[in-house]
Amino acid sequence: MEYRNAIFIITEERSCQIYNVGEEFKVEQNALTGPEGKPVCLVLMNELLKALVEKKSMQRFSPMGPQRVKFECGGCSGMIRFEFKKEKDFATLQMKLLAVAEQKARMRHLDRFYDVLRGLDIFEPLNDDSLRDLSAQLQLKVFEANKVVLKKGEPGTSLYIVLEGKVAVIGDEGQTLSEMGVGKIFGEMSLLSGEPITTSIHSREKSRLAVLSSKDFKHVLNRYPVLQVFFYRMLVERAQANTMRAGTISSGMTGRLAEINPVELFQLINSSQKTGKVQLTLDDGSADVTFHEGELIDARYGELAGKEAFFALLAKSEGNFTYTGGLTAEESTLPVIGGFMGLIMEGLRRVDEQRS
């Protein structure tokens, strides 16, 4: 029997560096093609072609009836098993049409959310064709409300993109630390750093997530080097935020107010008795806050100055900041603007009154 038109499917995988369970290899007129967007493993291809050339039986008989024969590839550090997925009476044209139909079916669920993917900063450097190729690597997962998506302490296995719904970052005491909606990405830090997951993620409501496995994540970075820059910058920013939360800050540090709010940032500078300036870029302009040995000596925000500028900045939750150490000779002579903790308490009282 000649298997000129056939499909093999991976049924088991252990530490294979390239392929996943469920991925298929198509033989058409004795030409072999693998999963789209994946590099070719010559060892596996050789095993598949050997099975075809030697015309090995694709079935064996057992007390349970006919069983598909499993083939194994263990030519490198990993191991995968695959079996013949019978393609009966399919002509070449029919196989091509089948392949097109399968590809369309796989992409249909992501096409619905293409605009979400297109609008993400991470994918902005990719043209439409590249983004669609990358989307072919994504799997769609649906989580009902209040389900565990990621659990703290477990190894990171995938990157997640919220396509629909909302998820929450959950603290050790079960409290909600933050929420993420459509377009947000999580899980990438464990993949980049190799460290276990640091916080648990739960679905706040029914959510649809695009999932990229760690294996495919590495292939994506290799295929699209421009994405490496994005993730490297994300890794640096997150590391800086963690450093600041640990109680240290150094000149040149940058970050987002969404990760460390102005109150925490200013208290960190005060407790560390730092001398320098925080420059903030906000949606309605820029601001400067100057410290000398941890004490506030100047603040500028639009038309506001001194205490009023400082109080107004405490309410900000969106924007970027940069801390630069050192002052000019003139700045070093500025007097302290009141006791720092007194200013913080007064500013928080005003924020609460405004929100009320």
Side-chain angles (χ1 to χ4, degrees), residues 62-328:
S62 71
M64 302 298 294
Q67 301 290 317
R68 288 175 179 170
V69 173
K70 293 185 181 296
F71 300 91
E72 183 173 310
C73 173
C76 59
S77 59
M79 186 281 292
I80 62 176
R81 289 193 174 96
F82 55 94
E83 65 182 34
F84 177 67
K85 179 180 177 181
K86 191 174 183 181
E87 286 290 299
K88 184 178 181 180
D89 299 329
F90 275 99
T92 300
L93 177 59
Q94 289 173 308
M95 287 197 69
K96 288 182 178 179
L97 293 175
L98 176 64
V100 171
E102 288 179 343
Q103 176 67 6
K104 286 184 177 179
R106 183 170 57 163
M107 293 298 295
R108 191 175 296 121
H109 63 276
L110 286 172
D111 282 343
R112 176 184 171 191
F113 302 105
Y114 180 79
D115 289 342
V116 174
L117 299 175
R118 180 75 282 175
L120 297 180
D121 290 343
I122 177 178
F123 297 136
E124 192 276 331
L126 302 182
N127 59 37
D128 289 346
D129 288 339
S130 294
L131 181 55
R132 289 196 178 277
D133 288 342
L134 183 148
S135 298
Q137 306 294 327
L138 299 173
Q139 301 295 321
L140 181 68
K141 288 189 177 183
V142 179
F143 291 86
E144 298 296 331
N146 303 315
K147 297 296 182 180
V148 177
V149 181
L150 293 178
K151 187 176 181 180
K152 180 179 178 180
E154 293 182 345
T157 59
S158 301
L159 173 146
Y160 295 80
I161 303 172
V162 182
L163 299 177
E164 193 174 81
K166 186 182 296 182
V167 300
V169 181
I170 305 299
D172 293 340
E173 305 300 324
Q175 74 277 26
T176 298
L177 302 179
S178 63
E179 293 184 340
M180 294 180 285
V182 174
K184 294 299 183 180
I185 298 174
F186 61 93
E188 78 289 346
M189 296 312 299
S190 292
L191 298 184
L192 292 168
S193 66
E195 298 295 325
I197 295 168
T198 56
T199 53
S200 296
I201 306 290
H202 294 188
S203 56
R204 181 62 73 202
E205 57 191 50
K206 184 176 181 178
S207 303
R208 289 178 170 84
L209 309 177
V211 184
L212 185 66
S213 71
S214 59
K215 190 182 305 179
D216 292 341
F217 178 69
K218 294 175 183 177
H219 292 313
V220 165
L221 292 185
N222 289 333
R223 186 172 184 182
Y224 306 105
V226 66
L227 299 182
Q228 296 181 20
V229 177
F230 181 93
F231 281 111
Y232 176 76
R233 184 169 65 247
M234 183 182 292
L235 184 63
V236 171
E237 290 176 353
R238 194 71 58 85
Q240 288 185 347
N242 291 338
T243 299
M244 287 184 286
R245 287 194 178 94
T248 59
I249 186 169
S250 59
S251 183
M253 274 194 168
T254 62
R256 296 192 294 268
L257 298 182
E259 294 181 341
I260 178 168
N261 62 52
V263 175
E264 293 174 332
L265 176 61
F266 297 154
Q267 285 181 324
L268 175 58
I269 294 173
N270 172 258
S271 63
S272 302
Q273 298 184 331
K274 292 290 185 178
T275 295
K277 181 178 295 187
V278 178
Q279 296 176 307
L280 301 103
T281 303
L282 309 168
D283 56 1
D284 58 351
S286 59
D288 294 320
V289 183
T290 309
F291 293 85
H292 184 259
E293 295 182 352
E295 297 296 335
L296 179 69
I297 59 174
D298 192 27
R300 307 281 173 174
Y301 176 34
E303 297 180 354
L304 301 176
K307 291 182 181 180
E308 297 304 317
F310 185 74
F311 294 154
L313 291 172
L314 296 182
K316 296 297 178 179
S317 59
E318 297 291 337
N320 302 315
F321 71 86
T322 299
Y323 171 74
T324 305
L327 300 176
T328 65

Side-chain angles (χ1 to χ4, degrees), residues 11-44:
T11 57
E12 185 177 349
E13 176 268 319
R14 298 177 187 172
S15 302
C16 175
Q17 298 300 309
I18 303 177
Y19 303 118
N20 299 310
V21 170
E23 291 181 330
E24 297 178 348
F25 299 84
K26 294 181 175 64
V27 180
E28 182 182 354
Q29 296 300 310
N30 290 333
L32 181 59
T33 58
E36 183 179 357
K38 291 292 187 71
V40 175
C41 173
L42 297 180
V43 177
L44 175 60

